[in-house]
Amino acid sequence: MIKKLFMKDHFTIPYGESHNYKLLISQWRDLCKVQGWKFKKFAMADGLPCYQVFSKGIKSANAFYLSAGIHGDEAGGSLALLSWANKRSSFLSKQPTLIYPCLNPWGLCQNSRSDRSGDDLNRQWNQPKSPVIQEIVKRSREMRFSLAINLHEDFDANGIYLYENPTANFKDNKATEILRAGKVHIPIDKRKKIEGRWSRNGIIRPSKSSLPKEGLPEAVFLQENIAERTFVWETPSEMDIRIRVKAHIAMLDEALGYTIS
Ligand SMILES: [Zn+2]
């Protein structure tokens, strides 16, 4: 008990260190220790360990899946996920959640979209080459989630935008509400076509025929196999990272139903 009093209660990393994977992981490790969450290495990739966090046993049907850093040049997502988990630790301690803080450690260190072999880890979920993706796909047989979220960033975006898988077929305004929460910090990208797909007020609901030919993205795999509902959102990576982190946090709060009580 006395020891706890001297423990740190705030875990974050300086913005200038956003590609420092070692620091990111040491902050997650300390946060998990203080909160009593399970922190474990689950795979090695490009000579670096990859970790998972279980905030609580995820056997319940209402578990969440959160991931960031599958593209190493999108550091805002990993930074925001740590910051959000730190802010919302009491919420997370009650809410079963599986977190992958950074799926492409080598890419984060090198500011590279792809891994060391030059492969895009978000285009191989049907035939994974990376040991990280292989492991997640393998374990998906036993796991089910009510909601999955992948944090991304886009270097030529004008603002925030979001992908919702149309096969989930939810008839609510959740996607609009998530963007509304984020636009307090960053305006919505209003382009009619983004990344070659039709977009409406920053929302893209890609049809099966418009999926990338190179291979299956994480979100599509999750939606088809283990998640009831999936969102992927993007912040403009050319913008100040402090603002991008704020936008990611606001959207996570909205998506996960966190309410300040
Ligand atoms: Zn990305």
Side-chain angles (χ1 to χ4, degrees):
M1 204 57 194
I2 293 166
K3 211 175 165 192
K4 247 194 163 174
L5 289 174
F6 295 102
M7 271 181 168
K8 250 170 73 173
D9 63 356
H10 189 71
F11 301 91
T12 185
I13 53 180
Y15 292 106
E17 297 285 341
S18 58
H19 288 275
N20 186 336
Y21 181 66
K22 246 185 153 175
L23 186 57
L24 177 77
I25 289 312
S26 78
Q27 292 296 293
W28 268 108
R29 183 180 285 116
D30 290 351
L31 173 61
C32 291
K33 202 186 267 177
V34 169
Q35 296 300 333
W37 302 339
K38 272 193 200 153
F39 180 79
K40 209 179 148 210
K41 178 178 96 179
F42 72 94
M44 285 293 288
D46 301 327
L48 292 164
C50 208
Y51 294 90
Q52 65 188 17
V53 174
F54 282 109
S55 72
K56 209 178 169 209
I58 57 151
K59 290 217 170 81
S60 112
N62 191 33
F64 295 159
Y65 172 115
L66 307 176
S67 76
I70 196 166
H71 293 140
D73 56 344
E74 302 171 9
S78 287
L79 217 60
L81 205 45
L82 171 66
S83 211
W84 180 81
N86 177 70
K87 271 178 195 287
R88 306 303 182 218
S89 54
S90 42
F91 170 80
L92 269 177
S93 292
K94 289 181 227 129
Q95 166 61 49
T97 305
L98 168 59
I99 301 173
Y100 294 113
C102 179
L103 290 175
N104 182 2
W106 184 88
L108 185 79
C109 298
Q110 302 298 322
N111 193 23
S112 157
R113 177 180 171 94
S114 56
D115 69 359
R116 192 177 211 152
S117 322
D119 293 321
D120 187 333
L121 302 186
N122 205 28
R123 298 286 184 271
Q124 54 173 264
W125 288 67
N126 45 337
Q127 272 181 320
K129 274 171 78 183
S130 147
V132 171
I133 315 304
Q134 277 171 358
E135 181 57 32
I136 301 176
V137 168
K138 196 172 90 191
R139 57 172 61 175
S140 68
R141 283 181 215 124
E142 302 108 56
M143 292 184 177
R144 291 295 172 270
F145 299 91
S146 59
L147 184 60
I149 294 170
N150 312 147
L151 304 187
H152 281 257
E153 302 200 284
D154 178 354
F155 67 89
D156 47 29
N158 296 335
I160 50 172
Y161 65 89
L162 170 151
Y163 293 91
E164 181 174 29
N165 194 310
T167 57
N169 211 18
F170 281 88
K171 300 271 185 252
D172 56 21
N173 291 321
K174 189 108 176 159
T176 307
E177 282 155 19
I178 294 170
L179 287 179
R180 194 180 293 147
K183 84 170 183 190
V184 171
H185 305 287
I186 300 177
I188 295 170
D189 191 330
K190 294 277 178 70
R191 282 176 295 164
K192 288 205 169 88
K193 252 189 165 181
I194 299 177
E195 299 286 306
R197 291 182 194 90
W198 293 107
S199 166
R200 202 170 172 180
N201 293 325
I203 300 169
I204 304 167
R205 294 192 171 96
S207 61
K208 268 217 151 180
S209 60
S210 74
L211 293 178
K213 307 271 177 285
E214 310 91 287
L216 203 67
E218 179 184 13
V220 182
F221 171 83
L222 297 174
Q223 185 72 53
E224 285 179 355
N225 296 282
I226 54 173
E228 229 173 280
R229 191 170 205 182
T230 313
F231 289 109
V232 175
W233 60 68
E234 311 255 357
T235 58
S237 54
E238 292 295 297
M239 203 172 243
D240 187 328
I241 193 160
R242 288 168 293 188
I243 319 260
R244 283 145 55 199
V245 167
K246 281 185 182 166
H248 276 299
I249 290 174
M251 291 192 280
L252 280 167
D253 274 349
E254 181 62 42
L256 303 178
Y258 175 81
T259 42
I260 297 153
S261 50

mmCIF file of all heavy atoms in Angstrom, residues 17 25 59-60 105 107 114 118 123 127 132 146 162 179 197 206 241:
data_model
loop_
_atom_site.group_PDB
_atom_site.id
_atom_site.type_symbol
_atom_site.label_atom_id
_atom_site.label_comp_id
_atom_site.label_asym_id
_atom_site.label_seq_id
_atom_site.Cartn_x
_atom_site.Cartn_y
_atom_site.Cartn_z
ATOM 1 N N GLU A 17 9.227 12.302 -28.784
ATOM 2 C CA GLU A 17 9.682 10.905 -28.676
ATOM 3 C C GLU A 17 8.639 9.949 -29.262
ATOM 4 O O GLU A 17 8.576 8.783 -28.872
ATOM 5 C CB GLU A 17 9.914 10.552 -27.200
ATOM 6 C CG GLU A 17 11.006 11.339 -26.516
ATOM 7 C CD GLU A 17 12.400 10.883 -26.925
ATOM 8 O OE1 GLU A 17 12.543 9.774 -27.436
ATOM 9 O OE2 GLU A 17 13.326 11.684 -26.741
ATOM 10 N N ILE A 25 6.694 1.334 -24.861
ATOM 11 C CA ILE A 25 6.436 0.065 -24.190
ATOM 12 C C ILE A 25 6.708 0.152 -22.686
ATOM 13 O O ILE A 25 5.964 -0.408 -21.882
ATOM 14 C CB ILE A 25 7.270 -1.058 -24.885
ATOM 15 C CG1 ILE A 25 6.678 -1.342 -26.272
ATOM 16 C CG2 ILE A 25 7.353 -2.309 -24.057
ATOM 17 C CD1 ILE A 25 5.171 -1.536 -26.319
ATOM 18 N N LYS A 59 -13.581 -12.604 -21.585
ATOM 19 C CA LYS A 59 -14.559 -13.665 -21.896
ATOM 20 C C LYS A 59 -15.952 -13.093 -22.135
ATOM 21 O O LYS A 59 -16.766 -13.689 -22.828
ATOM 22 C CB LYS A 59 -14.564 -14.696 -20.774
ATOM 23 C CG LYS A 59 -13.266 -15.509 -20.779
ATOM 24 C CD LYS A 59 -13.479 -16.964 -20.409
ATOM 25 C CE LYS A 59 -12.249 -17.790 -20.642
ATOM 26 N NZ LYS A 59 -11.244 -17.698 -19.585
ATOM 27 N N SER A 60 -16.235 -11.936 -21.541
ATOM 28 C CA SER A 60 -17.576 -11.357 -21.682
ATOM 29 C C SER A 60 -17.867 -11.008 -23.146
ATOM 30 O O SER A 60 -16.962 -10.759 -23.940
ATOM 31 C CB SER A 60 -17.675 -10.104 -20.824
ATOM 32 O OG SER A 60 -17.775 -8.970 -21.624
ATOM 33 N N PRO A 105 6.353 -2.464 -34.634
ATOM 34 C CA PRO A 105 7.392 -1.769 -33.868
ATOM 35 C C PRO A 105 8.542 -1.249 -34.721
ATOM 36 O O PRO A 105 8.983 -0.115 -34.556
ATOM 37 C CB PRO A 105 7.899 -2.837 -32.886
ATOM 38 C CG PRO A 105 6.853 -3.886 -32.844
ATOM 39 C CD PRO A 105 6.114 -3.822 -34.146
ATOM 40 N N GLY A 107 8.517 -0.464 -37.867
ATOM 41 C CA GLY A 107 8.006 0.659 -38.659
ATOM 42 C C GLY A 107 7.929 1.931 -37.834
ATOM 43 O O GLY A 107 8.271 3.019 -38.316
ATOM 44 N N SER A 114 5.602 0.394 -43.855
ATOM 45 C CA SER A 114 5.704 -1.067 -43.936
ATOM 46 C C SER A 114 6.648 -1.619 -42.870
ATOM 47 O O SER A 114 7.269 -0.868 -42.120
ATOM 48 C CB SER A 114 6.212 -1.444 -45.322
ATOM 49 O OG SER A 114 7.423 -0.778 -45.562
ATOM 50 N N GLY A 118 9.385 -4.671 -46.090
ATOM 51 C CA GLY A 118 8.703 -3.826 -47.071
ATOM 52 C C GLY A 118 7.231 -4.185 -47.236
ATOM 53 O O GLY A 118 6.568 -3.723 -48.164
ATOM 54 N N ARG A 123 -2.381 -5.307 -45.193
ATOM 55 C CA ARG A 123 -2.822 -5.887 -46.467
ATOM 56 C C ARG A 123 -2.460 -7.370 -46.520
ATOM 57 O O ARG A 123 -2.054 -7.878 -47.560
ATOM 58 C CB ARG A 123 -2.137 -5.169 -47.654
ATOM 59 C CG ARG A 123 -2.442 -3.694 -47.781
ATOM 60 C CD ARG A 123 -3.851 -3.428 -48.298
ATOM 61 N NE ARG A 123 -4.063 -2.005 -48.489
ATOM 62 C CZ ARG A 123 -4.523 -1.177 -47.544
ATOM 63 N NH1 ARG A 123 -4.815 -1.632 -46.343
ATOM 64 N NH2 ARG A 123 -4.697 0.109 -47.804
ATOM 65 N N GLN A 127 -3.747 -13.774 -45.665
ATOM 66 C CA GLN A 127 -2.583 -14.663 -45.768
ATOM 67 C C GLN A 127 -1.408 -14.004 -45.066
ATOM 68 O O GLN A 127 -0.513 -13.465 -45.705
ATOM 69 C CB GLN A 127 -2.225 -14.880 -47.236
ATOM 70 C CG GLN A 127 -2.979 -16.036 -47.852
ATOM 71 C CD GLN A 127 -2.586 -16.250 -49.287
ATOM 72 O OE1 GLN A 127 -2.400 -15.292 -50.050
ATOM 73 N NE2 GLN A 127 -2.460 -17.498 -49.684
ATOM 74 N N VAL A 132 3.419 -11.321 -36.230
ATOM 75 C CA VAL A 132 2.460 -10.574 -35.385
ATOM 76 C C VAL A 132 1.037 -10.827 -35.886
ATOM 77 O O VAL A 132 0.146 -11.208 -35.126
ATOM 78 C CB VAL A 132 2.783 -9.053 -35.431
ATOM 79 C CG1 VAL A 132 1.693 -8.243 -34.762
ATOM 80 C CG2 VAL A 132 4.140 -8.782 -34.802
ATOM 81 N N SER A 146 -17.377 -7.008 -29.131
ATOM 82 C CA SER A 146 -18.568 -6.255 -29.540
ATOM 83 C C SER A 146 -18.160 -5.067 -30.410
ATOM 84 O O SER A 146 -18.935 -4.589 -31.224
ATOM 85 C CB SER A 146 -19.355 -5.780 -28.322
ATOM 86 O OG SER A 146 -18.552 -4.957 -27.519
ATOM 87 N N LEU A 162 -13.414 8.533 -41.476
ATOM 88 C CA LEU A 162 -13.646 7.249 -40.813
ATOM 89 C C LEU A 162 -14.190 6.193 -41.788
ATOM 90 O O LEU A 162 -14.929 6.527 -42.710
ATOM 91 C CB LEU A 162 -14.645 7.543 -39.703
ATOM 92 C CG LEU A 162 -15.354 6.503 -38.877
ATOM 93 C CD1 LEU A 162 -15.667 7.096 -37.508
ATOM 94 C CD2 LEU A 162 -16.653 6.081 -39.514
ATOM 95 N N LEU A 179 -17.195 11.316 -35.466
ATOM 96 C CA LEU A 179 -16.540 12.426 -36.166
ATOM 97 C C LEU A 179 -16.897 13.770 -35.527
ATOM 98 O O LEU A 179 -16.059 14.672 -35.459
ATOM 99 C CB LEU A 179 -16.911 12.418 -37.650
ATOM 100 C CG LEU A 179 -16.266 11.312 -38.497
ATOM 101 C CD1 LEU A 179 -16.741 11.399 -39.935
ATOM 102 C CD2 LEU A 179 -14.733 11.387 -38.461
ATOM 103 N N ARG A 197 -12.178 6.052 -52.785
ATOM 104 C CA ARG A 197 -13.512 5.548 -52.397
ATOM 105 C C ARG A 197 -14.453 6.700 -52.094
ATOM 106 O O ARG A 197 -14.028 7.747 -51.611
ATOM 107 C CB ARG A 197 -13.391 4.661 -51.146
ATOM 108 C CG ARG A 197 -12.686 3.392 -51.454
ATOM 109 C CD ARG A 197 -12.586 2.467 -50.271
ATOM 110 N NE ARG A 197 -11.617 1.442 -50.611
ATOM 111 C CZ ARG A 197 -10.313 1.546 -50.363
ATOM 112 N NH1 ARG A 197 -9.839 2.575 -49.720
ATOM 113 N NH2 ARG A 197 -9.496 0.588 -50.749
ATOM 114 N N PRO A 206 -16.946 1.173 -47.380
ATOM 115 C CA PRO A 206 -16.447 0.540 -48.611
ATOM 116 C C PRO A 206 -17.196 -0.752 -48.949
ATOM 117 O O PRO A 206 -17.408 -1.591 -48.069
ATOM 118 C CB PRO A 206 -14.976 0.256 -48.305
ATOM 119 C CG PRO A 206 -14.823 0.376 -46.835
ATOM 120 C CD PRO A 206 -16.018 1.049 -46.258
ATOM 121 N N ILE A 241 1.081 16.948 -33.927
ATOM 122 C CA ILE A 241 0.755 15.673 -33.264
ATOM 123 C C ILE A 241 -0.071 15.879 -31.977
ATOM 124 O O ILE A 241 -0.899 15.045 -31.623
ATOM 125 C CB ILE A 241 2.022 14.822 -33.003
ATOM 126 C CG1 ILE A 241 1.614 13.383 -32.627
ATOM 127 C CG2 ILE A 241 2.920 15.437 -31.945
ATOM 128 C CD1 ILE A 241 2.700 12.358 -32.799
#
